[in-house]
Amino acid sequence: MKDYSLLKINLTGGIVSPGTLQSILLAAKSAGVREVRFGARQQLLMYVKSEIVRGSSILEFKKKLYETNISFEEDTDKKPNIISSYCAEEVFPTGQWISEGIYRDIFDGFDYEPQLKVNISDSQQSFTPFFTGNLNFIASTIQNFWYLYVRFKQSNKVFRFPILIYTLEIPKVCKRIEEVILNAGEMDENEVYEKVIAKGEIISQVILEELVLPKFSLPYYEGFNRYGEKTWLGIYRRNETFPIEFLSEICELCLETKVGQICTTPWKSLIIKGIENKHRNLWDKLLGKYGINVRHAANELNWQVEDLSPEGLSLKKAIIREFDDEDVRTFGLSFAIQTRSKSEVFGSVVIKKRKIFAGISHVFDIYHTVDFNPNNRTLTLFEKGVNRAHVPEILQRLSKRFYAVKKVDTTVVKKATLNKEETEVELHQCKTCFTIYDSRFGDAVNGIAAGVKFSELPADYCCPMCESEKSEFEAVKADKLLV
């Protein structure tokens, strides 16, 4: 018998109110929980002493969750969380018509807990994955209508539903498709569509244009970052653990300063939006009190490891140490580690553990996605049967291949698109995250109008993406940009 039970609480869309989270944390603390984690599907995970252990309070904890109508699972994963790109809304580049209200309308429409993975994504962001769900809704250019890409469980085959789905129909469509395919055998896409439509009318539109997704570029999602008149804070934890006491004080500060929600991300981090600039010092003090670092290197943030995988985290840390020693550049790449055969991870480079000699030992196979796009589920084998100690070296070789291919592609684009006048424009590029300041466009995030020269920017100007100081920008010609 196990001494601990794993409790999973789904946070629909990766959103939780400070009051709700605080109630969960207080109940967890009374059950002896000292730290929690956030999963890749934006849910809350925690280990609680099982009821067979003397002094366990798990039954009382579960009773409190029932009383507050907080749904949970114990040692099962039958109801994967509905995840969304809402965490990117406002703080990273996104589309034009999706708002908090639209996300809320979708989530409120679910009167059941899906057993299929549901993803709700803005088509213009590159922070959250598009196709890691079984039912992947991606915003179209037509307001309130969505593409739907369906993937059967434990399959890489994805097909597009032949119509665009209306926003308020998404919960109903999810329920219908679940009824059709959950326990069915092999079905083709036409059969799925016909059986779903046979259940009743759906508000929809004909698909008139192909879906166009942005090129993947993971934004720097940690630290204090200004947007408009406010600030958002990203918090990442190297060990993926968040102390209960720390999170409880976050909730208290949110309530005190009227911050209405906390967002979880697929990168197992938190994003807190809507911080008034006058309250930033309160957040600084809170981070300092618990010794929370929010300036990790970008090459540590672009990783996804399976939930609750000490082996995967250990390998990640070893690789990052060698990357740091060798000064390896990984901008534009994302890495994933898979140690369990049936788990799913998101990355342009995937490191898969494979058992050999009847499970006595193991090696790693290293793959990359087609065109190094993490949203492409087709993997290409780069190196097979790699010993753990040699994984960092192989990844360095793979990174060099990525930049070699990228350099060729970029050159073709430049020759085709840049004229002499454009290549002579002087730009300023952040040396940390490679964000560009172009005086022709200004900086909407920091409230800088178009036409303001870099030399005219205030002394306290900082990068809108990673918050590096103005001195961290360097002048560069358009045809010499680091990409």
Side-chain angles (χ1 to χ4, degrees):
M1 299 288 288
K2 296 191 300 183
D3 290 342
Y4 287 85
S5 294
L6 174 63
L7 261 62
K8 177 172 73 78
I9 298 174
N10 285 335
L11 308 175
T12 304
I15 309 170
V16 63
S17 71
T20 298
L21 181 57
Q22 190 172 52
S23 297
I24 296 171
L25 296 173
L26 289 174
K29 183 178 179 181
S30 67
V33 179
R34 294 293 172 262
E35 59 187 23
V36 299
R37 296 168 173 81
F38 296 96
R41 289 198 64 79
Q42 298 172 277
Q43 69 274 65
L44 180 63
L45 309 169
M46 66 187 78
Y47 284 111
V48 187
K49 286 183 181 178
S50 63
E51 57 187 271
I52 65 167
V53 177
R54 185 174 181 178
S56 171
S57 301
I58 190 172
L59 294 179
E60 183 180 348
F61 180 26
K62 291 192 289 186
K63 181 181 178 182
K64 289 180 179 178
L65 293 177
Y66 282 127
E67 290 173 348
T68 51
N69 294 317
I70 295 173
S71 179
F72 66 90
E73 287 188 277
E74 182 179 358
D75 293 325
T76 62
D77 193 24
K78 294 180 180 178
K79 297 175 181 177
N81 195 32
I82 300 170
I83 73 169
S84 79
S85 58
Y86 175 72
C87 54
E89 182 68 27
E90 294 185 290
V91 299
F92 299 128
T94 55
Q96 297 298 312
W97 61 265
I98 305 178
S99 64
E100 177 184 353
I102 289 174
Y103 284 106
R104 292 286 187 183
D105 287 343
I106 295 171
F107 304 146
D108 290 345
F110 281 88
D111 57 0
Y112 75 106
E113 290 187 272
Q115 295 182 57
L116 293 176
K117 297 176 181 177
V118 178
N119 288 21
I120 311 293
S121 300
D122 187 321
S123 61
Q124 297 305 304
Q125 55 84 39
S126 63
F127 183 56
T128 64
F130 291 107
F131 301 111
T132 57
N134 303 114
L135 306 177
N136 304 281
F137 292 89
I138 304 174
S140 74
T141 56
I142 303 174
Q143 186 165 344
N144 272 311
F145 283 89
W146 304 71
Y147 293 96
L148 167 58
Y149 289 81
V150 180
R151 178 173 63 91
F152 286 92
K153 295 184 73 173
Q154 299 299 321
S155 168
N156 270 333
K157 183 181 178 182
V158 178
F159 68 85
R160 188 181 68 186
F161 213 60
I163 54 177
L164 297 177
I165 309 297
Y166 181 61
T167 292
L168 298 181
E169 297 282 64
I170 287 177
K172 179 171 71 178
V173 170
C174 288
K175 193 170 188 177
R176 286 187 185 179
I177 295 180
E178 193 163 291
E179 292 169 351
V180 168
I181 74 173
L182 192 58
N183 298 309
E186 187 70 24
M187 301 174 67
D188 64 36
E189 51 194 86
N190 292 327
E191 189 176 0
V192 172
Y193 172 71
E194 289 170 2
K195 290 193 173 188
V196 170
I197 295 299
K199 290 179 175 288
E201 186 178 351
I202 296 172
I203 301 175
S204 61
Q205 284 206 23
V206 175
I207 297 175
L208 298 176
E209 58 184 11
E210 294 298 318
L211 172 65
V212 178
L213 296 177
K215 192 169 185 178
F216 178 81
S217 178
L218 182 66
Y220 191 85
Y221 56 85
E222 194 186 27
F224 290 100
N225 301 269
R226 288 183 292 183
Y227 68 106
E229 298 299 318
K230 296 186 178 182
T231 294
W232 64 267
L233 170 62
I235 306 174
Y236 157 86
R237 298 291 286 155
R238 179 169 287 163
N239 292 321
E240 299 182 354
T241 58
F242 289 76
I244 288 264
E245 296 284 357
F246 172 58
L247 288 180
S248 294
E249 289 207 37
I250 282 181
C251 293
E252 290 175 10
L253 186 52
C254 284
L255 293 170
E256 178 187 333
T257 58
K258 295 182 171 54
V259 172
Q261 57 198 6
I262 297 170
C263 297
T264 62
T265 82
W267 305 94
K268 306 180 185 179
S269 65
L270 295 180
I271 286 181
I272 300 160
K273 308 177 188 178
I275 297 173
E276 298 284 350
N277 290 326
K278 64 182 179 182
H279 294 143
R280 173 167 168 168
N281 65 315
L282 299 177
W283 290 93
D284 275 322
K285 289 178 181 178
L286 177 56
L287 295 176
K289 177 179 178 180
Y290 288 92
I292 304 297
N293 175 29
V294 290
R295 298 299 298 173
H296 291 89
N299 69 355
E300 184 174 348
L301 300 179
N302 58 347
W303 287 78
Q304 189 179 85
V305 180
E306 298 154 312
D307 293 342
L308 309 169
S309 175
E311 181 182 9
L313 274 180
S314 174
L315 178 57
K316 170 188 170 180
K317 290 176 184 177
I319 295 170
I320 290 171
R321 280 196 301 270
E322 291 210 28
F323 277 12
D324 287 340
D325 290 342
E326 298 297 326
D327 202 20
V328 177
R329 183 172 187 240
T330 62
F331 181 78
L333 289 170
S334 61
F335 299 84
I337 297 177
Q338 181 185 40
T339 63
R340 301 186 289 265
S341 60
K342 292 186 178 181
S343 66
E344 294 181 314
V345 289
F346 173 76
S348 52
V349 177
V350 181
I351 305 139
K352 290 189 177 186
K353 176 183 175 181
R354 176 165 54 88
K355 294 180 179 179
I356 57 175
F357 303 132
I360 297 175
S361 185
H362 65 268
V363 292
F364 294 92
D365 299 330
I366 298 176
Y367 300 82
H368 66 83
T369 56
V370 174
D371 296 329
F372 291 93
N373 179 357
N375 287 301
N376 189 316
R377 300 187 63 85
T378 303
L379 296 177
T380 299
L381 180 66
F382 181 72
E383 196 75 43
K384 186 176 182 180
V386 180
N387 182 279
R388 186 184 191 276
H390 296 145
V391 170
E393 175 190 346
I394 302 301
L395 292 180
Q396 289 184 51
R397 285 172 39 201
L398 182 52
S399 297
K400 291 178 180 178
R401 170 180 287 190
F402 166 69
Y403 289 114
V405 171
K406 189 173 183 180
K407 184 176 180 180
V408 171
D409 292 343
T410 304
T411 302
V412 172
V413 172
K414 286 175 182 173
K415 287 181 178 178
T417 61
L418 295 181
N419 58 38
K420 184 175 185 293
E421 182 180 350
E422 289 173 322
T423 59
E424 290 179 349
V425 171
E426 186 176 85
L427 308 174
H428 288 79
Q429 185 170 43
C430 174
K431 292 185 285 187
T432 302
C433 69
F434 306 106
T435 294
I436 303 298
Y437 179 81
D438 186 337
S439 61
R440 294 174 297 175
F441 306 107
D443 179 352
V445 172
N446 284 318
I448 306 297
V452 177
K453 296 180 180 179
F454 186 82
S455 60
E456 298 171 345
L457 293 175
D460 62 350
Y461 175 79
C462 63
C463 175
M465 191 61 69
C466 71
E467 215 177 22
S468 292
E469 296 178 355
K470 183 180 178 181
S471 60
E472 291 301 305
F473 281 75
E474 62 181 357
V476 60
K477 296 294 185 182
D479 59 348
K480 301 294 184 183
L481 284 175
L482 293 174
V483 292

